[in-house]
Amino acid sequence: MAVKSRPKSDAPDASDRVSRIREGVTAAILEHRLLPGTKLGEDEIGEIYGASRTLVRTALQQLAHEGIVNIEKNRGAFVARPTPADAREVFEARRLIEPTIVDHAVDAVSPAWIGRLQRHLAEEREAELRGDARASVRLSGDFHRLVAEMSGHSIYLGFLKELIARSSLIILLYRRHDTPACGTDHHAGIVSAIRKCDREAARAQMLSHLNEIEAELFLKDPAADELRLADVLGV
């Protein structure tokens, strides 16, 4: 009797496929290749990753739990569209945890880690010089993740990965077009303070950096700004 092939969802690498889907969707969001509100079709994603609908659904549900994806009943999954209130909460959370992350990074400072950070800064500058906006956005988020890895605090790292993905959506929706998303000079200042083991300066640099990113966003609640055309266009 012929042996039936096992369904995709029973494959031994099921968890790896779920991780690949999550990482692929998150990377596309970080690089602004997936826009807020984009529909994430289960069948199409399954074809791209060679995964069953069950695995795709699992990955999307995990992303929804992190606030990166919205799942709507009878409509499917969509890239989240954070509100101005969401944006303020995300940056408030980042201001709470990232200064503590740099505290731990100062404790973990070593020539090897400083070398990694310096190489990353060089990648950021190269992307900026060649005008590669997508790479610049991704590398900006990667810088904050790398500092969190250096801190050795796995819980903070997990939180920050989620907040970075949410921040990318927020920046895409609300950044003023005449301002950069995340300056390499700011990152260089943070690395310099960490290298000198100047805990106070590192915390201050990180807070100033996060405050400036948020200040460059145009965060206005739509309900509070319902103007008539006559008010906007009238002479």
Side-chain angles (χ1 to χ4, degrees):
M1 183 174 68
V3 178
K4 293 183 179 179
S5 60
R6 297 173 70 186
K8 288 178 181 176
S9 59
D10 291 336
D13 63 343
S15 62
D16 290 340
R17 289 177 188 268
V18 170
S19 294
R20 283 184 57 218
I21 294 167
R22 291 180 69 253
E23 290 168 5
V25 172
T26 302
I29 289 171
L30 289 174
E31 295 181 4
H32 291 177
R33 289 181 284 117
L34 272 179
L35 305 181
T38 301
K39 184 172 175 58
L40 301 169
E42 292 179 0
D43 290 336
E44 187 174 3
I45 293 174
E47 288 179 11
I48 293 167
Y49 289 96
S52 68
R53 292 188 71 180
T54 300
L55 296 184
V56 173
R57 194 172 295 121
T58 298
L60 293 176
Q61 286 171 344
Q62 290 178 4
L63 291 170
H65 180 71
E66 296 170 6
I68 299 168
V69 166
N70 287 335
I71 297 178
E72 301 180 15
K73 188 175 181 180
N74 300 326
R75 294 193 67 224
F78 299 82
V79 178
R81 292 185 65 89
T83 66
D86 294 332
R88 296 184 189 99
E89 289 182 2
V90 164
F91 279 95
E92 181 180 353
R94 291 188 66 170
R95 282 191 293 270
L96 285 173
I97 71 170
E98 289 199 69
T100 304
I101 284 172
V102 293
D103 271 349
H104 289 285
V106 167
D107 291 336
V109 71
S110 69
W113 267 114
I114 294 301
R116 285 187 65 182
L117 291 171
Q118 295 285 9
R119 287 192 295 275
H120 186 88
L121 291 178
E123 285 185 56
E124 287 192 52
R125 293 190 191 98
E126 288 170 8
E128 194 172 55
L129 286 172
R130 66 176 182 267
D132 190 339
R134 287 180 177 175
S136 292
V137 170
R138 173 179 54 79
L139 288 166
S140 292
D142 284 350
F143 171 81
H144 291 265
R145 178 187 52 76
L146 188 59
V147 174
E149 286 182 7
M150 180 181 178
S151 77
H153 199 301
S154 60
I155 302 298
Y156 281 152
L157 175 60
F159 287 156
L160 189 60
K161 284 181 178 178
E162 176 184 329
L163 291 171
I164 287 170
R166 292 194 186 202
S167 298
S168 185
L169 288 172
I170 289 162
I171 289 167
L172 182 58
L173 278 172
Y174 299 110
R175 180 169 62 91
R176 301 175 195 269
H177 296 298
D178 58 344
T179 58
C182 201
T184 54
D185 289 344
H186 296 163
H187 291 173
I190 293 167
V191 171
S192 177
I194 291 173
R195 180 176 56 80
K196 294 173 184 175
C197 294
D198 189 336
R199 194 183 309 275
E200 186 174 339
R203 290 176 63 91
Q205 288 270 4
M206 180 62 79
L207 273 174
S208 175
H209 178 44
L210 294 171
N211 285 334
E212 187 160 337
I213 296 172
E214 185 177 7
E216 290 168 351
L217 302 176
F218 188 69
L219 299 176
K220 293 195 84 172
D221 295 297
D225 195 31
E226 293 179 355
L227 298 176
R228 296 180 303 120
L229 279 177
D231 296 328
V232 178
L233 302 177
V235 177

